[in-house]
Amino acid sequence: MSDLPPSGATEPAASGPPADPAAPPPPAAEPAPGPPGTTGGATPASGASGADPWAGHTGPVPVVPDQPGYDSPQPGAPNPAGQPASGALPGWSAPGDVPPGHTPQGWNAPGTPPHGWNVPPGTPPPGWGGPAYPGHPTPGAAYPVPGAAYPVPAGPGAYAGWFPGIDPQDPLVNPPHAGIGPWFARCTAALRRGWRQLLPIVLLTQVVPAAVIGVLALVFSPEGELATAPDGAPVLPAGFWGQMFAFYGVLLFAGLIFGLLQAAGWAAGTWVVARQAAGEPTGLGAAFRYGLRRALGLWGWTLLVSLLVMIGSCFCLLPGLYAAFALALFGPVYLFERREPIGRAWRMFHSRFGMVLGRVALVMAVLFAATVLDAVVGGISGALFGVEPMTSVGTAVGAVAFAVFGALLAAPAYLAQQVGLVVTYAEQRAQEGPVNAARLAAELG
């Protein structure tokens, strides 16, 4: 027996109003009895008794799976008069009714945005308010369309992944992914803005202590030369060990005392760099007052970091050098945040290892060049005035003059260290969240 309907059953009526596509489908005909031994037909009748619960519904008919009257047609069954299958929404085509190579009705072509998203490619979906963190959408918002551009409302000159509110033209904060060029430009701009205030601060708090320590080293340097015993063994000069302990004791005491002055100078210089970048007035008196307020705390943390570097250097030179690089930002961290400077500096260094290492290496290279230059000046002084220049007035004056000159040659390195570390710290803060020069200046207090 054929399963097809009688001939002419699919012809539409010649007259009468068209069928409402939103109306529920008519009840299915009573199926033919199944073969003996079965309990019923293939599809039970729908709405055989009782009122139709969707009789007054004017919208689309909801799809209710596994309910009588809402089963999809069997595979291969005809679709009379092009009507949607039972259970399909109006305006949508059944999978079997679409010719090959055509897009079903109600579906979008692959690679196009959903219906109602009339946005150009690369723009965020409607309702997107910008991400709170790079690579993560706002809580509750959907992810952007695959292949679309990163949805950051960045202005001219901005880079994908910036936090909202970061100014690419900020004079102090180098934005994320800007590179080493803008970082160097901000360092040089800070020097041009503040050299009139920074140079006196460096001379009084860095150069003068270095010159005094250099002169003290000349005065307390152990005298005498190694002698040779009759058996050929070297003999130390008389009183060598006493002079050696006095030499290092004086240098250590001077370093501790002048370290407090140097800490005040670093704090004052940081205050000048941050406030000038924010466009606020600066003065030497106000800078030194701020430096004195922060000097004791910064001096204490400097002693602890110096101890860690020295311990690392005792095991091997490389661990000490690594500690010096990893903790280089402890000073700005303490001045701006005043909490956990060693831990924060360590995490900043390892969170963005390559970036921080590159910036700090440039600063260290300038300091190393200044150290080499000072050693060259010291070598010239020794060649001119001998290893014991303080034995006569003429050689003493010449040796002291060379010591002061060597300390003056290190002033540019101190300026580079001051500015480079502050700009590096500001750049790392921008990697963690929105920040600008005005906020950093306010954090100094």
Side-chain angles (χ1 to χ4, degrees), residues 305 352 397:
V305 171
R352 290 163 291 275
V397 171

Side-chain angles (χ1 to χ4, degrees), residues 6 20 113 119 122 158 203 223 262-264 283 290 302 328 331 384 387 400 421 425-426:
D20 186 1
V119 294
L203 290 177
E223 298 178 357
Q262 290 174 330
Y290 174 81
T302 303
L384 292 177
V387 294
V400 169
L421 293 182
Y425 169 79

Side-chain angles (χ1 to χ4, degrees), residues 12-339:
S15 62
D20 186 1
E30 184 71 19
T38 61
T39 58
T43 304
S46 167
S49 63
D52 187 356
W54 302 100
H57 185 70
T58 58
V61 178
V63 180
V64 183
D66 300 330
Q67 297 293 330
Y70 291 95
D71 293 327
S72 301
Q74 298 295 326
N79 187 6
Q83 296 296 328
S86 177
L89 296 177
W92 293 72
S93 302
D97 298 337
V98 182
H102 291 73
T103 303
Q105 184 180 3
W107 292 79
N108 296 326
T112 60
H115 178 69
W117 285 22
N118 296 321
V119 294
T123 57
W128 184 276
Y133 297 95
H136 302 278
T138 304
Y143 279 86
V145 180
Y150 190 83
V152 175
Y159 294 81
W162 286 13
F163 290 96
I166 287 185
D167 182 12
Q169 305 301 326
D170 191 277
L172 181 62
V173 180
N174 194 32
H177 312 296
I180 191 68
W183 174 87
F184 185 78
R186 282 169 171 82
C187 292
T188 55
L191 284 175
R192 286 195 302 267
R193 285 192 305 267
W195 71 269
R196 292 178 178 84
Q197 290 82 19
L198 293 176
L199 185 58
I201 292 174
V202 167
L203 290 177
L204 292 175
T205 63
Q206 310 299 327
V207 174
V208 169
V212 172
I213 291 176
V215 173
L216 291 176
L218 291 175
V219 173
F220 291 92
S221 176
E223 298 178 357
E225 297 180 358
L226 293 176
T228 303
D231 59 353
V235 178
L236 294 175
F240 175 80
W241 290 111
Q243 294 178 2
M244 184 64 67
F245 280 114
F247 172 75
Y248 283 108
V250 168
L251 293 185
L252 180 60
F253 180 77
L256 292 176
I257 297 301
F258 285 119
L260 188 61
L261 179 61
Q262 290 174 330
W266 290 122
T270 303
W271 186 85
V272 169
V273 171
R275 286 181 64 88
Q276 285 187 342
E280 300 179 5
T282 57
L284 282 177
F288 278 114
R289 285 193 295 271
Y290 174 81
L292 291 176
R293 289 202 312 269
R294 301 296 184 198
L296 188 60
L298 183 59
W299 179 62
W301 287 109
T302 303
L303 292 178
L304 182 57
V305 171
S306 301
L307 181 62
L308 293 176
V309 173
M310 185 175 62
I311 292 175
S313 301
C314 290
F315 289 100
C316 184
L317 180 62
L318 187 59
L321 187 62
Y322 186 85
F325 275 81
L327 303 177
L329 296 179
F330 81 94
V333 169
Y334 170 75
L335 294 174
F336 286 100
E337 303 179 26
R338 290 184 291 281
R339 63 180 179 88

Side-chain angles (χ1 to χ4, degrees), residues 367-391:
L367 293 176
F368 180 76
T371 303
V372 172
L373 189 60
D374 183 66
V376 171
V377 172
I380 296 175
S381 176
L384 292 177
F385 308 110
V387 294
E388 298 179 2
M390 307 308 291
T391 56

